[in-house]
Amino acid sequence: MKRGKKLIILLLVLVLAIAAALIVQAIVTKNEEAATEAEDTSVTFLTIDPDAITALSWTYNDETANLAYASGVWTDADDAAFPVAQTYPDAMATALEAVTATRSFDAEDLSEYGLDAPAYTVTVTTDAETTLTIGSASEISGEYYTSIGDGKVYLVDSALLDPFTYGLSDILQMETVPDMSALTGIDITTGTGEANLLYLENSDYSYSDQYHWFLLQNGAYKALGSAADTFADSLTGLSWISCESYNATDEELAAYGLDAPNATVILSYTEAADADSDAEAAEATFVLEIGGFTDGGYYARIQGSRMVYLIDASLAQSILGVSYDTLQPTDVCLLDWDTVTSFDV
């Protein structure tokens, strides 16, 4: 009798185990089906070949920029003289190559999603014209409601907006200041005269070989102190604060004080040698002209250029005021005293 009861209990345990396994399997299957259904809601609703684009325009902060694309180069469709930084529209075209939404749905009233007055509007032209409007963000997911005019609303990741958060002035390509870390000379001409600074190592123009910068004045070389090193470093670190005009007229150049500059600076330097080339490092020059003062800095340009920039006011003033008095050594006697064996007084 006891043996029969044990058998019945074992059978019941087996039945319960099988039932539990079936329930678990059913739950797993249901979850997998739900995951599959969730994955199926995503849709790539816009695909554009970047190489097929001929025009691209977008509106950001109520400003519309219009670019044209031909022979691999982006230009301002409204002003061919405007220098476009190519990386920005390239990133925009890449973002439109395949635009995927996590969900899409039909909508009659676009105003519910901020699409009647969109925050962003992007129009791209290939053999046809496509307009992408981006409205408000979902309060639940943070994704943005988007439309391409096909009667549907798409939810897209906020990363889609990033390449388009620029106005035209933000994508202006400024001129490059070369790497002048190996300066060999600084020639400055101002209204009060000239200053010619030379970088010389192991020269015979000073009692100490620790002086490297010299002022050439009336045929004589005068050693300069550490202030000359600081001055040279400030020049090699030259950068533009902003671009005030990318195509200044003669009248505008005069207004900036650049028709007759307050200072002309010729920086001579040795270009960095190309590691992949056997060619020797070449000597080069960079010529900067400094105009008038304004709030925020001094107007400046590369000689011969129509682009006008602002540069740091303290740098400009140090150039305008350069002299032996501002750069002379402050050392009483600059020697390596570990090498001195005797001295006479």
Side-chain angles (χ1 to χ4, degrees), residues 134-172:
I134 303 172
S136 56
S138 167
E139 295 181 358
I140 299 174
S141 66
E143 296 172 303
Y144 278 78
Y145 297 110
T146 306
S147 171
I148 55 173
D150 59 356
K152 291 183 176 295
V153 172
Y154 301 91
L155 272 173
V156 299
D157 190 277
S158 60
L160 175 64
L161 281 63
D162 294 343
F164 301 97
T165 56
Y166 301 97
L168 191 60
S169 60
D170 298 319
I171 67 168
L172 180 145

Side-chain angles (χ1 to χ4, degrees), residues 25-55:
Q25 181 63 35
I27 293 173
V28 170
T29 301
K30 185 176 182 180
N31 287 340
E32 288 178 349
E33 291 175 351
T36 300
E37 291 175 359
E39 291 173 1
D40 289 342
T41 61
S42 65
V43 56
T44 300
F45 64 96
L46 181 61
T47 56
I48 295 175
D49 179 4
D51 294 330
I53 296 175
T54 57

Side-chain angles (χ1 to χ4, degrees), residues 34-239:
T36 300
E37 291 175 359
E39 291 173 1
D40 289 342
T41 61
S42 65
V43 56
T44 300
F45 64 96
L46 181 61
T47 56
I48 295 175
D49 179 4
D51 294 330
I53 296 175
T54 57
L56 176 66
S57 67
W58 72 98
T59 300
Y60 173 67
N61 283 345
D62 297 325
E63 178 190 4
T64 299
N66 301 296
L67 301 184
Y69 185 70
S71 302
V73 178
W74 295 97
T75 56
D76 184 354
D78 301 319
D79 184 357
F82 183 88
V84 178
Q86 302 293 301
T87 54
Y88 292 94
D90 281 346
M92 296 175 189
T94 299
L96 297 172
E97 191 169 4
V99 184
T100 301
T102 57
R103 188 164 64 92
S104 65
F105 53 89
D106 296 323
E108 294 182 0
D109 187 2
L110 296 180
S111 63
E112 295 180 8
Y113 311 101
L115 291 166
D116 57 331
Y120 300 83
T121 300
V122 180
T123 300
V124 57
T125 304
T126 53
D127 53 351
E129 187 175 274
T130 303
T131 299
L132 178 75
T133 55
I134 303 172
S136 56
S138 167
E139 295 181 358
I140 299 174
S141 66
E143 296 172 303
Y144 278 78
Y145 297 110
T146 306
S147 171
I148 55 173
D150 59 356
K152 291 183 176 295
V153 172
Y154 301 91
L155 272 173
V156 299
D157 190 277
S158 60
L160 175 64
L161 281 63
D162 294 343
F164 301 97
T165 56
Y166 301 97
L168 191 60
S169 60
D170 298 319
I171 67 168
L172 180 145
Q173 180 64 63
M174 297 186 191
E175 293 164 304
T176 302
V177 176
D179 178 2
M180 299 181 290
S181 54
L183 268 183
T184 58
I186 304 170
D187 297 316
I188 301 173
T189 302
T190 66
T192 58
E194 296 183 5
N196 305 114
L197 283 64
L198 296 172
Y199 183 85
L200 303 170
E201 292 186 346
N202 302 318
S203 73
D204 297 326
Y205 299 121
S206 173
Y207 68 90
S208 172
D209 61 4
Q210 295 186 51
Y211 290 115
H212 298 140
W213 280 102
F214 295 84
L215 177 67
L216 178 58
Q217 192 173 60
N218 299 324
Y221 291 85
K222 294 184 177 181
L224 302 177
S226 59
D229 294 306
T230 302
F231 179 61
D233 288 343
S234 67
L235 287 170
T236 59
L238 171 70
S239 62

